[in-house]
Structures are given as C-alpha cells and as structure tokens.
Amino acid sequence: MDRRSGPWAEFEAFVAGAAGRLLHVAVLLTAEPGTGAGDAVGGGVGGGTGSGTGAGSGCPGARRLLAGALARTYADWRRVRGDDPYDHTRRELCAAYARTARRYRGGPGVLARLAPQERLALVLCVHEGVPEEVAAAQLGLPADRMRALTARAVAAMRPEREAA
C-alpha cells in the first residue's frame, strides 16, 4: 500500500499535529528539564524538521515513552483512527509511564518533587483536563485514590507562604 495515501497518511498527519503536545505530557511525567513543545518531530520522534526549540535532545526518557506510545498507536491505527487517536496515544503514554515510573524519580524538572503517581494524577487531571473518574478507570485505581493523589499533588505544587 502506498504510505502517502490512506490510513498511514492520516497517522502521519496525526503525529505532525499531536506530537508536540504529547511530548510535553511525557516531559512533565518524566520530570526531565525542557518544555517538550515545538520540537517533538525534529528531535527524532517523527523524523521531520522541528523548530529547534523546546525539549531538544535533553529528554531521552520522555522521547522514549512517546515513541513507544506512538508505535502502539500506529499498530492499532485502523481500529483507533475512527475514535480519538490523541486520547488513545495519551492513555498508552500514561500506561507506559505507570509501568516504568521507578526510572523517573527525582530529576530537575518542574514536577520532580512529586511522587510518580502524583505526577501522573496532576498531568492527567489538571494539565490534560481528564475527569478524575476517567483517569482512575484508565489507571485501574479507585476514584477516591485518584482524587487524593490529585489533591496532594496540587497542594505540593503550591508555593509555600513565608512566615510573618
């Protein structure tokens, strides 16, 4: 089949449009430094020419997570393309992070002070706007646990007030 037409062209168009945002999610999850926006395609995820800004090559863990999620989405593309491919890829990305979170402890990123599950809850529920019940179901957690993780993560990210 000619890859320049049909479903594979649709997949390539999806990657071109969504890879930057998905890389940003991956960077937040892994707590690696960098913004993740604007350079997803040029940095090796999609093989195109990015803007040269954003996460750059300094986020190997995030890029590895995203490449794996995109590969799984590609493998399921005929089934996924009628639904929401961004949602499917984000679920794959978060599932892969949840399985390998022990690799991403600490780090210099903005969410590095959070525990891996707190990071996942904050990124899904606050950054991505996924309802807590939906995020809990996707991760196999009780909804109460997801609410507690999200609340704890939000509280941990609030700036501490100076004592008067």
Side-chain angles (χ1 to χ4, degrees), residues 64-146:
R64 200 170 23 257
L65 275 177
L66 179 56
L70 288 171
R72 285 184 293 282
T73 299
Y74 181 80
D76 295 337
W77 187 251
R78 289 191 187 275
R79 181 180 53 83
V80 171
R81 70 183 180 147
D83 295 330
D84 182 359
Y86 180 85
D87 184 55
H88 177 81
T89 308
R90 183 184 59 219
R91 278 195 317 262
E92 291 286 351
L93 182 68
C94 290
Y97 171 75
R99 286 189 306 270
T100 61
R102 67 189 175 281
R103 297 179 190 167
Y104 305 108
R105 290 202 174 264
V110 67
L111 301 182
R113 63 180 148 179
L114 299 177
Q117 279 194 332
E118 292 172 341
R119 237 183 279 162
L120 192 53
L122 187 73
V123 170
L124 275 176
C125 299
V126 177
H127 178 70
E128 287 289 297
V130 176
E132 290 172 340
E133 294 78 16
V134 173
Q138 288 175 355
L139 298 173
L141 297 172
D144 290 342
R145 174 79 173 136
M146 182 58 72

Side-chain angles (χ1 to χ4, degrees), residues 22-37 55 59 62-63 109:
L22 287 164
L23 181 60
H24 186 70
V25 169
V27 168
L28 290 173
L29 288 173
T30 61
E32 292 176 309
T35 63
C59 302
R63 290 181 176 283

Side-chain angles (χ1 to χ4, degrees), residues 4-69:
R4 288 169 278 177
S5 63
W8 311 121
E10 292 172 11
F11 178 76
E12 290 175 353
F14 161 70
V15 171
R21 186 170 162 203
L22 287 164
L23 181 60
H24 186 70
V25 169
V27 168
L28 290 173
L29 288 173
T30 61
E32 292 176 309
T35 63
D39 194 37
V41 178
V45 172
T49 56
S51 63
T53 62
S57 61
C59 302
R63 290 181 176 283
R64 200 170 23 257
L65 275 177
L66 179 56

